[in-house]
Amino acid sequence: MPSDKITAGNGSAERKANAVGYLADDHEIPRVRGVWRLFVYSAIGAVVFFLPVTYKGTKSIPLDHMVTAVKEYLPELVPWFILALAAYGTIRSIAHKNWQDGPMQAIFVVANVVGLVISFLMVIDKLPWVLGDEDLVPFLWDSIAVSVGLIVPIGSAFLALLIGYGFLEFIGVFMQPIMKPVWRTPGRSAIDAVASFVGSYSLGILITDRVYQNGGYTAREAAIIATGFSTVSAAFMVIVAKTLGLMDIWGLYFAVSLIVTFIVTAITVRIPPLSTVPDDYFEGSEPSPERVVKGNRIREAWREAMMALEQAPSLGKAISENLPDGIRLAGAIVPSIMSIGLAGLLLAKFTPVFDWLGYLFYPFAWVVRLPEPLMAGKASAMGIAEMFLPATEVADQESLVLRFVIGVVSVSAIIFFSALVPCIMATKIPVKITHMVVIWFERVALTILIATPIAYLLL
């Protein structure tokens, strides 16, 4: 579990006192030394997290290229590092007696132990039974565990650059008129959404958890962001599109997936369980909600940035205290991926559970005349185990509309147990597993209802 102590972006007493209400134009802008940090550090952070560049023929963000380079130049060390993360997370959960926090945490402690054993067997190449099949443990390890295990620690080191020196507050002022009325989240949450789409859901959740523990988000806002914006990256969407034969309409698929995802989020924030999550700040944090800006938005954006910069630590201190948090988070995620994710894949491969769950979505597929509604329902249900499974279920279907809609469902559903659920459970974000299952059902049903008419209209 990540620590409760987060240093980047803490608010001052003045910031807290003026947090509510409209800003007056006569508020002074603090005089801060080292204003260059806002531009230089934030620019480096933005490039690392958001700017796609080409490396060895592959276009992605620099952070992804860093992970690729580590895997490429240290291939023998990476598996042992990921195993060490799994061991660290498992031992830490036992040492901290996490099972005392409730039945669900007790289950996760057991899951961590199982995940550690499976990780060890994977590293020494001694997987028993069918666990060594390419679509089971090797898939989880190579496609998810290794990537997340490297992205989260490396990303945490650069995270302080992005959120600790005023950039988050500056952007938040401009996005406030859009984010707050539509998605009921602060303007600064736009950074989380972009981080997920161009980087990774683990990055989005990492940012959300940091800002929540800083007092920048309430519990409800953090829950909305984690379950509504933290979808898979554009890079992984390409894999889905290739599997479904949609690359010739890639631009259309990407745009529709993006639009539908955020439309669905705008709906789910207004209904339970998200609407019932307490609107409280993290215990022990200093609340620093976004002020409601009226008037000169550029001036107030600059003032918010300067106030954040005034409280910012040195770069060395920020990195040295954020990097251990990233390692703790990765350690909590990796063993859960290897156990809970595997359980979902085994259910999908050897049981009719998802055939039964598919009937839940049959009425929604039938009412919008989605081709093969029973198959569409089953494929949609499989997404709760792993977001890639729906694509494999309908990849050989002739109907372009069916493949297109299921491709959108894979992205818009957001919740899946092979990785995202463990990611959220490893943070302080207060979302129960039962809540996530309900949110998943709502998102899948709404996506089918919204994406199918769009598919018929555009294809």
Side-chain angles (χ1 to χ4, degrees):
M1 299 286 285
S3 67
D4 296 347
K5 183 178 180 183
I6 305 295
T7 57
N10 287 335
S12 64
E14 177 191 5
R15 182 183 182 87
K16 182 178 179 181
N18 294 318
V20 181
Y22 290 92
L23 285 174
D25 289 336
D26 60 352
H27 276 79
E28 293 184 3
I29 298 176
R31 293 184 178 181
V32 183
R33 289 185 177 182
V35 175
W36 61 269
R37 293 176 297 166
L38 168 63
F39 299 100
V40 176
Y41 292 169
S42 299
I44 295 173
V47 167
V48 169
F49 282 94
F50 301 137
L51 183 65
V53 296
T54 301
Y55 172 74
K56 291 189 175 181
T58 301
K59 191 172 185 180
S60 187
I61 59 172
L63 179 59
D64 187 40
H65 290 317
M66 293 179 197
V67 171
T68 300
V70 170
K71 290 191 288 187
E72 180 179 350
Y73 294 109
L74 301 172
E76 296 180 355
L77 294 180
V78 167
W80 292 102
F81 174 72
I82 302 302
L83 178 61
L85 284 177
Y88 172 64
T90 301
I91 294 171
R92 192 167 185 270
S93 67
I94 295 173
H96 286 207
K97 299 180 179 179
N98 287 4
W99 60 83
Q100 295 179 349
D101 295 334
M104 192 54 63
Q105 288 300 325
I107 292 173
F108 266 84
V109 172
V110 175
N112 283 348
V113 174
V114 174
L116 174 59
V117 172
I118 293 172
S119 298
F120 177 71
L121 295 175
M122 175 67 195
V123 171
I124 65 173
D125 195 23
K126 297 293 183 181
L127 291 167
W129 191 42
V130 296
L131 298 185
D133 289 359
E134 286 300 316
D135 58 346
L136 290 176
V137 173
F139 167 76
L140 287 174
W141 181 264
D142 296 329
S143 300
I144 302 177
V146 171
S147 295
V148 171
L150 293 176
I151 282 177
V152 172
I154 297 173
S156 67
F158 288 95
L159 193 59
L161 297 171
L162 188 68
I163 71 174
Y165 296 92
F167 180 66
L168 198 69
E169 289 75 10
F170 186 84
I171 295 297
V173 171
F174 291 101
M175 293 302 298
Q176 190 181 89
I178 301 172
M179 303 301 294
K180 199 67 176 179
V182 178
W183 293 288
R184 298 185 175 177
T185 60
R188 58 177 71 126
S189 64
I191 297 294
D192 302 59
V194 175
S196 293
F197 263 97
V198 303
S200 165
Y201 54 82
S202 58
L203 293 181
I205 291 174
L206 182 65
I207 294 172
T208 303
D209 187 45
R210 293 294 187 274
V211 178
Y212 171 55
Q213 292 190 50
N214 278 349
Y217 294 146
T218 65
R220 184 183 301 170
E221 290 167 348
I224 290 171
I225 296 163
T227 62
F229 296 154
S230 301
T231 189
V232 294
S233 67
F236 205 86
M237 288 173 64
V238 170
I239 299 175
V240 174
K242 286 181 178 178
T243 302
L244 293 170
L246 302 176
M247 285 308 295
D248 56 337
I249 53 171
W250 159 250
L252 179 64
Y253 168 65
F254 178 83
V256 172
S257 297
L258 182 70
I259 292 169
V260 171
T261 296
F262 290 136
I263 290 175
V264 169
T265 300
I267 297 172
T268 57
V269 302
R270 291 166 168 80
I271 58 179
L274 283 177
S275 65
T276 63
V277 176
D279 209 20
D280 303 324
Y281 286 92
F282 182 70
E283 184 178 357
S285 70
E286 183 178 358
S288 57
E290 287 184 341
R291 298 177 177 88
V292 180
V293 175
K294 184 178 182 181
N296 190 331
R297 196 166 292 275
I298 296 177
R299 182 181 184 277
E300 297 307 336
W302 181 253
R303 182 174 184 274
E304 284 285 302
M306 290 301 99
M307 291 180 68
L309 195 60
E310 188 178 32
Q311 301 298 316
S314 68
L315 179 61
K317 183 178 180 181
I319 293 176
S320 66
E321 295 195 15
N322 275 273
L323 180 58
D325 282 344
I327 293 174
R328 280 189 284 271
L329 181 59
I333 294 171
V334 169
S336 296
I337 288 174
M338 298 307 297
S339 55
I340 296 174
L342 177 60
L345 295 182
L346 289 172
L347 285 174
K349 187 168 185 175
F350 295 110
T351 75
V353 167
F354 294 107
D355 293 276
W356 301 336
L357 287 177
Y359 285 105
L360 295 174
F361 301 110
Y362 173 81
F364 302 100
W366 177 84
V367 77
V368 291
R369 296 297 186 263
L370 184 60
E372 301 291 343
L374 275 176
M375 177 175 288
K378 178 185 178 181
S380 299
M382 293 172 72
I384 196 170
E386 158 58 40
M387 65 80 53
F388 189 64
L389 291 180
T392 62
E393 180 68 15
V394 301
D396 59 349
Q397 293 299 302
E398 184 178 346
S399 172
L400 178 60
V401 169
L402 174 61
R403 287 182 279 121
F404 186 90
V405 171
I406 295 302
V408 175
V409 168
S410 297
V411 175
S412 180
I414 291 183
I415 309 292
F416 57 101
F417 272 82
S418 67
L420 188 121
V421 170
C423 278
I424 294 177
M425 294 302 294
T427 70
K428 299 293 185 181
I429 301 170
V431 188
K432 299 177 182 178
I433 286 185
T434 52
H435 287 170
M436 284 190 268
V437 173
V438 174
I439 294 167
W440 165 79
F441 173 80
E442 293 172 346
R443 295 193 65 89
V444 171
L446 288 168
T447 300
I448 292 172
L449 293 175
I450 296 170
T452 304
I454 295 176
Y456 276 119
L457 179 66
L458 298 179
L459 298 178

